[in-house]
PDB file of all heavy atoms in Angstrom:
ATOM      1  N   LYS A   1      -8.829 -34.504  14.390  1.00  0.00           N
ATOM      2  CA  LYS A   1      -9.433 -33.181  14.181  1.00  0.00           C
ATOM      3  C   LYS A   1      -8.561 -32.067  14.731  1.00  0.00           C
ATOM      4  O   LYS A   1      -8.457 -30.994  14.119  1.00  0.00           O
ATOM      5  CB  LYS A   1     -10.820 -33.134  14.832  1.00  0.00           C
ATOM      6  CG  LYS A   1     -11.555 -31.828  14.582  1.00  0.00           C
ATOM      7  CD  LYS A   1     -12.948 -31.860  15.176  1.00  0.00           C
ATOM      8  CE  LYS A   1     -13.684 -30.548  14.915  1.00  0.00           C
ATOM      9  NZ  LYS A   1     -15.045 -30.540  15.511  1.00  0.00           N
ATOM     10  N   GLN A   2      -7.927 -32.276  15.860  1.00  0.00           N
ATOM     11  CA  GLN A   2      -7.118 -31.238  16.479  1.00  0.00           C
ATOM     12  C   GLN A   2      -5.653 -31.388  16.072  1.00  0.00           C
ATOM     13  O   GLN A   2      -5.185 -30.747  15.168  1.00  0.00           O
ATOM     14  CB  GLN A   2      -7.266 -31.308  18.010  1.00  0.00           C
ATOM     15  CG  GLN A   2      -8.677 -31.064  18.508  1.00  0.00           C
ATOM     16  CD  GLN A   2      -9.171 -29.669  18.215  1.00  0.00           C
ATOM     17  OE1 GLN A   2      -8.410 -28.714  18.255  1.00  0.00           O
ATOM     18  NE2 GLN A   2     -10.450 -29.547  17.919  1.00  0.00           N
ATOM     19  N   ALA A   3      -4.945 -32.245  16.729  1.00  0.00           N
ATOM     20  CA  ALA A   3      -3.539 -32.514  16.443  1.00  0.00           C
ATOM     21  C   ALA A   3      -3.176 -33.795  17.184  1.00  0.00           C
ATOM     22  O   ALA A   3      -3.963 -34.316  17.978  1.00  0.00           O
ATOM     23  CB  ALA A   3      -2.643 -31.356  16.877  1.00  0.00           C
ATOM     24  N   ILE A   4      -1.989 -34.299  16.933  1.00  0.00           N
ATOM     25  CA  ILE A   4      -1.545 -35.521  17.567  1.00  0.00           C
ATOM     26  C   ILE A   4      -0.168 -35.272  18.171  1.00  0.00           C
ATOM     27  O   ILE A   4       0.703 -34.682  17.524  1.00  0.00           O
ATOM     28  CB  ILE A   4      -1.513 -36.687  16.557  1.00  0.00           C
ATOM     29  CG1 ILE A   4      -1.141 -37.995  17.242  1.00  0.00           C
ATOM     30  CG2 ILE A   4      -0.602 -36.393  15.397  1.00  0.00           C
ATOM     31  CD1 ILE A   4      -1.312 -39.211  16.356  1.00  0.00           C
ATOM     32  N   SER A   5       0.012 -35.688  19.381  1.00  0.00           N
ATOM     33  CA  SER A   5       1.279 -35.478  20.067  1.00  0.00           C
ATOM     34  C   SER A   5       2.221 -36.642  19.781  1.00  0.00           C
ATOM     35  O   SER A   5       1.810 -37.709  19.309  1.00  0.00           O
ATOM     36  CB  SER A   5       1.063 -35.340  21.575  1.00  0.00           C
ATOM     37  OG  SER A   5       0.535 -36.543  22.119  1.00  0.00           O
ATOM     38  N   ALA A   6       3.490 -36.441  20.104  1.00  0.00           N
ATOM     39  CA  ALA A   6       4.484 -37.491  19.866  1.00  0.00           C
ATOM     40  C   ALA A   6       4.230 -38.698  20.772  1.00  0.00           C
ATOM     41  O   ALA A   6       4.443 -39.846  20.360  1.00  0.00           O
ATOM     42  CB  ALA A   6       5.887 -36.941  20.084  1.00  0.00           C
ATOM     43  N   PHE A   7       3.772 -38.472  21.999  1.00  0.00           N
ATOM     44  CA  PHE A   7       3.484 -39.587  22.908  1.00  0.00           C
ATOM     45  C   PHE A   7       2.326 -40.438  22.384  1.00  0.00           C
ATOM     46  O   PHE A   7       2.366 -41.665  22.460  1.00  0.00           O
ATOM     47  CB  PHE A   7       3.161 -39.056  24.308  1.00  0.00           C
ATOM     48  CG  PHE A   7       4.341 -38.476  25.018  1.00  0.00           C
ATOM     49  CD1 PHE A   7       4.516 -37.098  25.099  1.00  0.00           C
ATOM     50  CD2 PHE A   7       5.284 -39.305  25.601  1.00  0.00           C
ATOM     51  CE1 PHE A   7       5.610 -36.558  25.748  1.00  0.00           C
ATOM     52  CE2 PHE A   7       6.384 -38.774  26.262  1.00  0.00           C
ATOM     53  CZ  PHE A   7       6.548 -37.403  26.329  1.00  0.00           C
ATOM     54  N   LEU A   8       1.305 -39.792  21.837  1.00  0.00           N
ATOM     55  CA  LEU A   8       0.180 -40.542  21.293  1.00  0.00           C
ATOM     56  C   LEU A   8       0.591 -41.314  20.046  1.00  0.00           C
ATOM     57  O   LEU A   8       0.205 -42.476  19.866  1.00  0.00           O
ATOM     58  CB  LEU A   8      -0.977 -39.590  20.972  1.00  0.00           C
ATOM     59  CG  LEU A   8      -2.228 -40.232  20.350  1.00  0.00           C
ATOM     60  CD1 LEU A   8      -2.768 -41.327  21.265  1.00  0.00           C
ATOM     61  CD2 LEU A   8      -3.287 -39.182  20.078  1.00  0.00           C
ATOM     62  N   LEU A   9       1.376 -40.694  19.173  1.00  0.00           N
ATOM     63  CA  LEU A   9       1.838 -41.401  17.977  1.00  0.00           C
ATOM     64  C   LEU A   9       2.730 -42.585  18.347  1.00  0.00           C
ATOM     65  O   LEU A   9       2.667 -43.641  17.706  1.00  0.00           O
ATOM     66  CB  LEU A   9       2.597 -40.436  17.061  1.00  0.00           C
ATOM     67  CG  LEU A   9       3.073 -41.023  15.722  1.00  0.00           C
ATOM     68  CD1 LEU A   9       1.884 -41.432  14.873  1.00  0.00           C
ATOM     69  CD2 LEU A   9       3.950 -40.026  14.975  1.00  0.00           C
ATOM     70  N   GLN A  10       3.539 -42.436  19.378  1.00  0.00           N
ATOM     71  CA  GLN A  10       4.385 -43.546  19.816  1.00  0.00           C
ATOM     72  C   GLN A  10       3.543 -44.732  20.283  1.00  0.00           C
ATOM     73  O   GLN A  10       3.847 -45.889  19.956  1.00  0.00           O
ATOM     74  CB  GLN A  10       5.305 -43.086  20.943  1.00  0.00           C
ATOM     75  CG  GLN A  10       6.246 -44.175  21.457  1.00  0.00           C
ATOM     76  CD  GLN A  10       6.949 -43.775  22.737  1.00  0.00           C
ATOM     77  OE1 GLN A  10       6.570 -42.808  23.384  1.00  0.00           O
ATOM     78  NE2 GLN A  10       7.982 -44.518  23.095  1.00  0.00           N
ATOM     79  N   ARG A  11       2.468 -44.461  21.012  1.00  0.00           N
ATOM     80  CA  ARG A  11       1.610 -45.555  21.474  1.00  0.00           C
ATOM     81  C   ARG A  11       0.854 -46.197  20.316  1.00  0.00           C
ATOM     82  O   ARG A  11       0.696 -47.423  20.277  1.00  0.00           O
ATOM     83  CB  ARG A  11       0.621 -45.033  22.517  1.00  0.00           C
ATOM     84  CG  ARG A  11       1.270 -44.643  23.834  1.00  0.00           C
ATOM     85  CD  ARG A  11       0.231 -44.506  24.926  1.00  0.00           C
ATOM     86  NE  ARG A  11      -0.711 -43.430  24.643  1.00  0.00           N
ATOM     87  CZ  ARG A  11      -0.567 -42.185  25.053  1.00  0.00           C
ATOM     88  NH1 ARG A  11       0.499 -41.839  25.758  1.00  0.00           N
ATOM     89  NH2 ARG A  11      -1.480 -41.275  24.757  1.00  0.00           N
ATOM     90  N   LEU A  12       0.395 -45.392  19.373  1.00  0.00           N
ATOM     91  CA  LEU A  12      -0.366 -45.941  18.254  1.00  0.00           C
ATOM     92  C   LEU A  12       0.499 -46.784  17.327  1.00  0.00           C
ATOM     93  O   LEU A  12       0.052 -47.814  16.817  1.00  0.00           O
ATOM     94  CB  LEU A  12      -1.024 -44.803  17.462  1.00  0.00           C
ATOM     95  CG  LEU A  12      -2.139 -44.025  18.168  1.00  0.00           C
ATOM     96  CD1 LEU A  12      -2.576 -42.847  17.312  1.00  0.00           C
ATOM     97  CD2 LEU A  12      -3.323 -44.937  18.454  1.00  0.00           C
ATOM     98  N   MET A  13       1.736 -46.342  17.096  1.00  0.00           N
ATOM     99  CA  MET A  13       2.618 -47.033  16.158  1.00  0.00           C
ATOM    100  C   MET A  13       3.494 -48.077  16.825  1.00  0.00           C
ATOM    101  O   MET A  13       4.131 -48.882  16.143  1.00  0.00           O
ATOM    102  CB  MET A  13       3.507 -46.012  15.439  1.00  0.00           C
ATOM    103  CG  MET A  13       2.740 -44.898  14.738  1.00  0.00           C
ATOM    104  SD  MET A  13       1.528 -45.514  13.555  1.00  0.00           S
ATOM    105  CE  MET A  13       2.582 -46.360  12.407  1.00  0.00           C
ATOM    106  N   GLY A  14       3.569 -48.068  18.141  1.00  0.00           N
ATOM    107  CA  GLY A  14       4.379 -49.044  18.844  1.00  0.00           C
ATOM    108  C   GLY A  14       5.871 -48.802  18.735  1.00  0.00           C
ATOM    109  O   GLY A  14       6.663 -49.760  18.744  1.00  0.00           O
ATOM    110  N   PHE A  15       6.292 -47.538  18.653  1.00  0.00           N
ATOM    111  CA  PHE A  15       7.712 -47.221  18.574  1.00  0.00           C
ATOM    112  C   PHE A  15       8.386 -47.500  19.917  1.00  0.00           C
ATOM    113  O   PHE A  15       7.813 -47.255  20.977  1.00  0.00           O
ATOM    114  CB  PHE A  15       7.930 -45.759  18.191  1.00  0.00           C
ATOM    115  CG  PHE A  15       7.468 -45.432  16.803  1.00  0.00           C
ATOM    116  CD1 PHE A  15       6.934 -44.183  16.507  1.00  0.00           C
ATOM    117  CD2 PHE A  15       7.566 -46.355  15.782  1.00  0.00           C
ATOM    118  CE1 PHE A  15       6.510 -43.869  15.230  1.00  0.00           C
ATOM    119  CE2 PHE A  15       7.139 -46.058  14.493  1.00  0.00           C
ATOM    120  CZ  PHE A  15       6.607 -44.822  14.223  1.00  0.00           C
ATOM    121  N   GLY A  16       9.629 -47.958  19.844  1.00  0.00           N
ATOM    122  CA  GLY A  16      10.364 -48.194  21.067  1.00  0.00           C
ATOM    123  C   GLY A  16      10.915 -46.936  21.693  1.00  0.00           C
ATOM    124  O   GLY A  16      11.208 -46.904  22.885  1.00  0.00           O
ATOM    125  N   SER A  17      11.053 -45.871  20.889  1.00  0.00           N
ATOM    126  CA  SER A  17      11.612 -44.616  21.388  1.00  0.00           C
ATOM    127  C   SER A  17      10.712 -43.456  20.991  1.00  0.00           C
ATOM    128  O   SER A  17      10.129 -43.439  19.896  1.00  0.00           O
ATOM    129  CB  SER A  17      13.023 -44.391  20.829  1.00  0.00           C
ATOM    130  OG  SER A  17      13.510 -43.109  21.176  1.00  0.00           O
ATOM    131  N   ILE A  18      10.618 -42.480  21.886  1.00  0.00           N
ATOM    132  CA  ILE A  18       9.837 -41.284  21.590  1.00  0.00           C
ATOM    133  C   ILE A  18      10.507 -40.445  20.521  1.00  0.00           C
ATOM    134  O   ILE A  18       9.845 -39.676  19.807  1.00  0.00           O
ATOM    135  CB  ILE A  18       9.628 -40.460  22.882  1.00  0.00           C
ATOM    136  CG1 ILE A  18       8.651 -39.304  22.659  1.00  0.00           C
ATOM    137  CG2 ILE A  18      10.952 -39.939  23.408  1.00  0.00           C
ATOM    138  CD1 ILE A  18       7.267 -39.722  22.321  1.00  0.00           C
ATOM    139  N   ASN A  19      11.823 -40.579  20.356  1.00  0.00           N
ATOM    140  CA  ASN A  19      12.540 -39.785  19.362  1.00  0.00           C
ATOM    141  C   ASN A  19      12.103 -40.103  17.945  1.00  0.00           C
ATOM    142  O   ASN A  19      12.108 -39.229  17.070  1.00  0.00           O
ATOM    143  CB  ASN A  19      14.049 -40.008  19.502  1.00  0.00           C
ATOM    144  CG  ASN A  19      14.581 -39.495  20.821  1.00  0.00           C
ATOM    145  OD1 ASN A  19      14.063 -38.539  21.374  1.00  0.00           O
ATOM    146  ND2 ASN A  19      15.617 -40.134  21.343  1.00  0.00           N
ATOM    147  N   THR A  20      11.707 -41.348  17.691  1.00  0.00           N
ATOM    148  CA  THR A  20      11.215 -41.709  16.361  1.00  0.00           C
ATOM    149  C   THR A  20       9.922 -40.983  16.050  1.00  0.00           C
ATOM    150  O   THR A  20       9.743 -40.448  14.951  1.00  0.00           O
ATOM    151  CB  THR A  20      11.007 -43.229  16.270  1.00  0.00           C
ATOM    152  OG1 THR A  20      12.219 -43.899  16.589  1.00  0.00           O
ATOM    153  CG2 THR A  20      10.578 -43.621  14.868  1.00  0.00           C
ATOM    154  N   ALA A  21       9.007 -40.945  17.000  1.00  0.00           N
ATOM    155  CA  ALA A  21       7.739 -40.240  16.792  1.00  0.00           C
ATOM    156  C   ALA A  21       7.966 -38.747  16.616  1.00  0.00           C
ATOM    157  O   ALA A  21       7.318 -38.105  15.778  1.00  0.00           O
ATOM    158  CB  ALA A  21       6.798 -40.504  17.964  1.00  0.00           C
ATOM    159  N   ILE A  22       8.887 -38.172  17.374  1.00  0.00           N
ATOM    160  CA  ILE A  22       9.175 -36.742  17.252  1.00  0.00           C
ATOM    161  C   ILE A  22       9.733 -36.437  15.868  1.00  0.00           C
ATOM    162  O   ILE A  22       9.329 -35.463  15.212  1.00  0.00           O
ATOM    163  CB  ILE A  22      10.162 -36.308  18.349  1.00  0.00           C
ATOM    164  CG1 ILE A  22       9.500 -36.409  19.733  1.00  0.00           C
ATOM    165  CG2 ILE A  22      10.659 -34.887  18.108  1.00  0.00           C
ATOM    166  CD1 ILE A  22      10.446 -36.119  20.873  1.00  0.00           C
ATOM    167  N   ARG A  23      10.663 -37.252  15.380  1.00  0.00           N
ATOM    168  CA  ARG A  23      11.255 -37.019  14.071  1.00  0.00           C
ATOM    169  C   ARG A  23      10.221 -37.152  12.962  1.00  0.00           C
ATOM    170  O   ARG A  23      10.176 -36.338  12.030  1.00  0.00           O
ATOM    171  CB  ARG A  23      12.402 -38.010  13.830  1.00  0.00           C
ATOM    172  CG  ARG A  23      13.029 -37.925  12.433  1.00  0.00           C
ATOM    173  CD  ARG A  23      13.783 -36.620  12.272  1.00  0.00           C
ATOM    174  NE  ARG A  23      14.216 -36.414  10.907  1.00  0.00           N
ATOM    175  CZ  ARG A  23      15.367 -36.863  10.394  1.00  0.00           C
ATOM    176  NH1 ARG A  23      16.194 -37.558  11.156  1.00  0.00           N
ATOM    177  NH2 ARG A  23      15.697 -36.610   9.151  1.00  0.00           N
ATOM    178  N   TRP A  24       9.363 -38.160  13.048  1.00  0.00           N
ATOM    179  CA  TRP A  24       8.339 -38.345  12.017  1.00  0.00           C
ATOM    180  C   TRP A  24       7.368 -37.168  11.973  1.00  0.00           C
ATOM    181  O   TRP A  24       7.011 -36.690  10.896  1.00  0.00           O
ATOM    182  CB  TRP A  24       7.585 -39.652  12.280  1.00  0.00           C
ATOM    183  CG  TRP A  24       8.333 -40.869  11.851  1.00  0.00           C
ATOM    184  CD1 TRP A  24       9.690 -41.033  11.815  1.00  0.00           C
ATOM    185  CD2 TRP A  24       7.780 -42.115  11.416  1.00  0.00           C
ATOM    186  NE1 TRP A  24      10.003 -42.292  11.390  1.00  0.00           N
ATOM    187  CE2 TRP A  24       8.861 -42.984  11.141  1.00  0.00           C
ATOM    188  CE3 TRP A  24       6.486 -42.587  11.253  1.00  0.00           C
ATOM    189  CZ2 TRP A  24       8.675 -44.288  10.693  1.00  0.00           C
ATOM    190  CZ3 TRP A  24       6.297 -43.897  10.816  1.00  0.00           C
ATOM    191  CH2 TRP A  24       7.368 -44.728  10.533  1.00  0.00           C
ATOM    192  N   LEU A  25       6.940 -36.703  13.136  1.00  0.00           N
ATOM    193  CA  LEU A  25       6.019 -35.572  13.161  1.00  0.00           C
ATOM    194  C   LEU A  25       6.668 -34.316  12.611  1.00  0.00           C
ATOM    195  O   LEU A  25       6.022 -33.531  11.899  1.00  0.00           O
ATOM    196  CB  LEU A  25       5.536 -35.334  14.595  1.00  0.00           C
ATOM    197  CG  LEU A  25       4.577 -36.379  15.174  1.00  0.00           C
ATOM    198  CD1 LEU A  25       4.239 -36.044  16.611  1.00  0.00           C
ATOM    199  CD2 LEU A  25       3.314 -36.477  14.340  1.00  0.00           C
ATOM    200  N   ARG A  26       7.939 -34.113  12.886  1.00  0.00           N
ATOM    201  CA  ARG A  26       8.627 -32.942  12.345  1.00  0.00           C
ATOM    202  C   ARG A  26       8.706 -32.999  10.822  1.00  0.00           C
ATOM    203  O   ARG A  26       8.488 -31.993  10.139  1.00  0.00           O
ATOM    204  CB  ARG A  26      10.030 -32.848  12.933  1.00  0.00           C
ATOM    205  CG  ARG A  26      10.078 -32.411  14.380  1.00  0.00           C
ATOM    206  CD  ARG A  26      11.495 -32.502  14.915  1.00  0.00           C
ATOM    207  NE  ARG A  26      11.567 -32.144  16.327  1.00  0.00           N
ATOM    208  CZ  ARG A  26      12.652 -32.315  17.079  1.00  0.00           C
ATOM    209  NH1 ARG A  26      13.740 -32.842  16.552  1.00  0.00           N
ATOM    210  NH2 ARG A  26      12.638 -31.962  18.345  1.00  0.00           N
ATOM    211  N   GLU A  27       9.002 -34.174  10.280  1.00  0.00           N
ATOM    212  CA  GLU A  27       9.113 -34.304   8.834  1.00  0.00           C
ATOM    213  C   GLU A  27       7.759 -34.138   8.150  1.00  0.00           C
ATOM    214  O   GLU A  27       7.661 -33.493   7.098  1.00  0.00           O
ATOM    215  CB  GLU A  27       9.717 -35.674   8.488  1.00  0.00           C
ATOM    216  CG  GLU A  27      11.149 -35.847   8.949  1.00  0.00           C
ATOM    217  CD  GLU A  27      12.077 -34.835   8.302  1.00  0.00           C
ATOM    218  OE1 GLU A  27      12.046 -34.701   7.071  1.00  0.00           O
ATOM    219  OE2 GLU A  27      12.822 -34.168   9.035  1.00  0.00           O
ATOM    220  N   LEU A  28       6.715 -34.689   8.728  1.00  0.00           N
ATOM    221  CA  LEU A  28       5.386 -34.551   8.131  1.00  0.00           C
ATOM    222  C   LEU A  28       4.878 -33.119   8.246  1.00  0.00           C
ATOM    223  O   LEU A  28       4.208 -32.616   7.334  1.00  0.00           O
ATOM    224  CB  LEU A  28       4.413 -35.522   8.803  1.00  0.00           C
ATOM    225  CG  LEU A  28       4.696 -37.012   8.567  1.00  0.00           C
ATOM    226  CD1 LEU A  28       3.696 -37.875   9.317  1.00  0.00           C
ATOM    227  CD2 LEU A  28       4.669 -37.344   7.080  1.00  0.00           C
ATOM    228  N   ARG A  29       5.192 -32.439   9.335  1.00  0.00           N
ATOM    229  CA  ARG A  29       4.802 -31.028   9.444  1.00  0.00           C
ATOM    230  C   ARG A  29       5.561 -30.181   8.429  1.00  0.00           C
ATOM    231  O   ARG A  29       5.029 -29.196   7.913  1.00  0.00           O
ATOM    232  CB  ARG A  29       5.070 -30.515  10.861  1.00  0.00           C
ATOM    233  CG  ARG A  29       4.145 -31.097  11.922  1.00  0.00           C
ATOM    234  CD  ARG A  29       4.286 -30.345  13.221  1.00  0.00           C
ATOM    235  NE  ARG A  29       3.585 -31.011  14.311  1.00  0.00           N
ATOM    236  CZ  ARG A  29       4.186 -31.656  15.302  1.00  0.00           C
ATOM    237  NH1 ARG A  29       5.511 -31.702  15.344  1.00  0.00           N
ATOM    238  NH2 ARG A  29       3.478 -32.236  16.250  1.00  0.00           N
ATOM    239  N   ARG A  30       6.797 -30.538   8.149  1.00  0.00           N
ATOM    240  CA  ARG A  30       7.559 -29.818   7.130  1.00  0.00           C
ATOM    241  C   ARG A  30       6.919 -29.975   5.748  1.00  0.00           C
ATOM    242  O   ARG A  30       6.905 -29.029   4.951  1.00  0.00           O
ATOM    243  CB  ARG A  30       8.997 -30.324   7.130  1.00  0.00           C
ATOM    244  CG  ARG A  30       9.974 -29.488   6.325  1.00  0.00           C
ATOM    245  CD  ARG A  30      11.401 -29.793   6.748  1.00  0.00           C
ATOM    246  NE  ARG A  30      11.738 -31.186   6.554  1.00  0.00           N
ATOM    247  CZ  ARG A  30      12.272 -31.672   5.430  1.00  0.00           C
ATOM    248  NH1 ARG A  30      12.523 -30.864   4.415  1.00  0.00           N
ATOM    249  NH2 ARG A  30      12.570 -32.951   5.331  1.00  0.00           N
ATOM    250  N   ALA A  31       6.380 -31.150   5.473  1.00  0.00           N
ATOM    251  CA  ALA A  31       5.666 -31.362   4.216  1.00  0.00           C
ATOM    252  C   ALA A  31       4.364 -30.572   4.186  1.00  0.00           C
ATOM    253  O   ALA A  31       3.980 -30.014   3.148  1.00  0.00           O
ATOM    254  CB  ALA A  31       5.397 -32.851   4.018  1.00  0.00           C
ATOM    255  N   MET A  32       3.671 -30.491   5.318  1.00  0.00           N
ATOM    256  CA  MET A  32       2.444 -29.701   5.379  1.00  0.00           C
ATOM    257  C   MET A  32       2.719 -28.228   5.149  1.00  0.00           C
ATOM    258  O   MET A  32       1.949 -27.523   4.478  1.00  0.00           O
ATOM    259  CB  MET A  32       1.770 -29.898   6.734  1.00  0.00           C
ATOM    260  CG  MET A  32       1.173 -31.261   6.955  1.00  0.00           C
ATOM    261  SD  MET A  32       0.426 -31.392   8.598  1.00  0.00           S
ATOM    262  CE  MET A  32      -0.272 -33.039   8.518  1.00  0.00           C
ATOM    263  N   ALA A  33       3.822 -27.734   5.694  1.00  0.00           N
ATOM    264  CA  ALA A  33       4.168 -26.317   5.524  1.00  0.00           C
ATOM    265  C   ALA A  33       4.401 -25.974   4.060  1.00  0.00           C
ATOM    266  O   ALA A  33       4.065 -24.873   3.607  1.00  0.00           O
ATOM    267  CB  ALA A  33       5.404 -25.979   6.348  1.00  0.00           C
ATOM    268  N   SER A  34       4.970 -26.896   3.288  1.00  0.00           N
ATOM    269  CA  SER A  34       5.188 -26.628   1.859  1.00  0.00           C
ATOM    270  C   SER A  34       3.883 -26.499   1.107  1.00  0.00           C
ATOM    271  O   SER A  34       3.796 -25.748   0.124  1.00  0.00           O
ATOM    272  CB  SER A  34       6.036 -27.751   1.257  1.00  0.00           C
ATOM    273  OG  SER A  34       5.341 -28.989   1.277  1.00  0.00           O
TER     274      SER A  34
END
């Protein structure tokens, strides 16, 4: 309902690095902006 942070997405998806979650959120936000 609100938003999701990179740390929360990393825990939910099981990423080994926080940089992966940050990159994914940036790309999805770019799609939302369009």
Side-chain angles (χ1 to χ4, degrees):
K1 184 177 180 181
Q2 298 296 324
I4 184 171
S5 64
F7 290 102
L8 178 57
L9 183 64
Q10 181 191 14
R11 291 196 296 268
L12 292 174
M13 305 304 298
F15 294 146
S17 173
I18 188 64
N19 295 329
T20 304
I22 293 175
R23 176 69 189 272
W24 282 30
L25 289 177
R26 287 174 183 171
E27 294 299 309
L28 294 178
R29 290 191 189 108
R30 192 162 60 90
M32 290 179 177
S34 65

